[in-house]
């Protein structure tokens, strides 16, 4: 089948992006990190000192910027116009403000349009919060990837340690829970499992195991 898109949604830190990258690699699909798009806008808004409660101003800013995902040998790089923002969109400041920025309907409608365009050709893996419910309601395969908050915080903690960044485990847990709360309670296209999604709880599974499961499911559907 020509239009095989895979949607991977779920709460923060469940391993969506790592899994999505692996699945895309192994199936030779395009990986589209929709969270990175919201992060890039948040970064631009903070830099331009735009009021983050102001949907119309954020929309105006978004309409003036190009956000692109470039697939290079070293991995996917995120560009805001000509600037490589791959690393700066992962800072604490961006992470703690991205849910507010992405709660605005005007912002989401524009982002979703861009995401649909990117996925137009089929053969794409998209990860996010509303891919199965809103961006691609007809995706061939929808996965809802979860894990306990404890486990998600533990993974984040180790990730940070590996990067040489000191962090507080309890604080990470609170941050993750807060972001999930904001993402699931916003009015427009909240984080929610699609009715026809398959839930995978990755609490006791490794990333390659989850990727393998999804690849099997994808193969069953082609
Ligand atoms: O996946 P990631 O943690 O990078 O996403 C950052 C934030 O972007 C999420 O917490 C959420 O607020 C927003 N987001 C969204 N819809 C998506 C992807 C991300 O609202 N499809």
């Amino acid at each position: 089948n020509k239009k095989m898109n895979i949607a991977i949604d779920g709460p923060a830190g469940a391993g969506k992006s790592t899994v999505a990258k692996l699945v895309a690699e192994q199936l030779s699909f395009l990986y589209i990190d929709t969270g990175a798009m919201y992060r890039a806008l948040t970064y631009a808004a903070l830099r331009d000192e735009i009021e983050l409660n102001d949907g119309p101003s954020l929309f105006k800013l978004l309409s003036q910027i190009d956000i692109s995902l470039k697939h290079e040998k070293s991995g996917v790089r995120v560009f805001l116009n000509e600037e490589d923002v791959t690393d700066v969109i992962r800072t604490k400041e961006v992470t703690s403000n991205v849910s507010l920025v992405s709660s605005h309907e005007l912002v989401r409608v524009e982002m979703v349009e861009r995401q649909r365009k990117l996925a137009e050709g089929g053969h794409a893996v998209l990860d996010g919060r509303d891919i199965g419910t809103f961006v691609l309601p007809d995706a061939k395969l929808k996965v809802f990837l979860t894990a306990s908050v404890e486990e998600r915080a533990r993974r984040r903690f180790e990730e940070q340690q590996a990067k040489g960044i000191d962090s507080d485990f309890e604080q990470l847990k609170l941050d993750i829970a807060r972001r999930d709360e904001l993402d699931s309670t916003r009015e427009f296209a909240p984080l929610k499992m699609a009715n026809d999604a398959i839930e995978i709880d990755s609490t006791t599974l490794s990333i390659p195991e989850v990727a393998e499961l999804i690849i099997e499911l994808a193969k069953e559907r082609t």
Side-chain angles (χ1 to χ4, degrees):
N1 197 307
K2 277 206 223 122
K3 282 264 165 84
M4 170 87 197
N5 284 319
I6 302 176
I8 303 182
D9 291 302
K16 295 184 299 293
S17 65
T18 319
V19 165
K21 240 176 269 169
L22 267 178
V23 170
E25 239 170 60
Q26 296 191 28
L27 295 175
S28 301
F29 276 30
L30 178 67
Y31 167 51
I32 303 170
D33 180 350
T34 66
M37 298 171 72
Y38 289 100
R39 285 172 181 274
L41 174 62
T42 304
Y43 170 76
L46 288 168
R47 193 182 51 188
D48 291 3
E49 294 179 5
I50 285 170
E51 170 55 55
L52 305 187
N53 279 305
D54 183 352
S57 292
L58 289 167
F59 173 76
K60 184 166 168 236
L61 170 65
L62 178 57
S63 61
Q64 291 162 350
I65 60 178
D66 180 58
I67 299 170
S68 53
L69 308 168
K70 299 205 172 123
H71 297 255
E72 293 174 6
K73 275 209 196 81
S74 55
V76 183
R77 312 291 308 174
V78 185
F79 284 83
L80 173 63
N81 296 326
E82 306 301 309
E83 182 188 353
D84 185 331
V85 295
T86 314
D87 299 319
V88 291
I89 60 169
R90 307 282 158 197
T91 58
K92 249 173 121 173
E93 203 197 1
V94 170
T95 302
S96 60
N97 286 295
V98 62
S99 291
L100 175 56
V101 169
S102 66
S103 67
H104 301 286
E105 179 169 348
L106 276 171
V107 166
R108 300 199 71 80
V109 168
E110 168 64 19
M111 286 293 196
V112 167
E113 193 175 307
R114 295 186 188 192
Q115 291 157 7
R116 286 185 181 144
K117 251 187 216 131
L118 290 171
E120 219 165 40
H123 303 107
V125 183
L126 286 81
D127 81 323
R129 303 292 186 289
D130 61 341
I131 310 301
T133 54
F134 188 61
V135 181
L136 302 174
D138 296 327
K140 268 281 162 59
L141 173 62
K142 299 178 184 179
V143 171
F144 197 76
L145 191 61
T146 61
S148 68
V149 177
E150 197 77 24
E151 175 62 16
R152 289 186 278 135
R154 197 188 61 74
R155 291 179 192 164
R156 236 336 105 80
F157 184 79
E158 286 186 352
E159 226 173 74
Q160 301 285 79
Q161 293 283 97
K163 285 189 204 158
I165 304 168
D166 253 330
S167 46
D168 181 274
F169 179 73
E170 289 306 318
Q171 190 56 47
L172 280 179
K173 236 165 81 179
L174 287 175
D175 293 345
I176 287 177
R178 176 177 162 272
R179 197 141 62 91
D180 290 347
E181 167 74 12
L182 290 172
D183 290 341
S184 357
T185 57
R186 70 171 169 242
E187 238 165 89
F188 191 77
L191 164 66
K192 189 175 177 284
M193 182 167 124
N195 292 326
D196 52 350
I198 294 171
E199 183 169 358
I200 299 178
D201 183 338
S202 75
T203 306
T204 61
L205 295 174
S206 71
I207 293 288
E209 284 173 329
V210 175
E212 197 44 53
L213 262 174
I214 296 175
I215 289 165
E216 285 309 310
L217 288 167
K219 285 184 177 158
E220 280 169 22
R221 284 160 196 237
T222 43

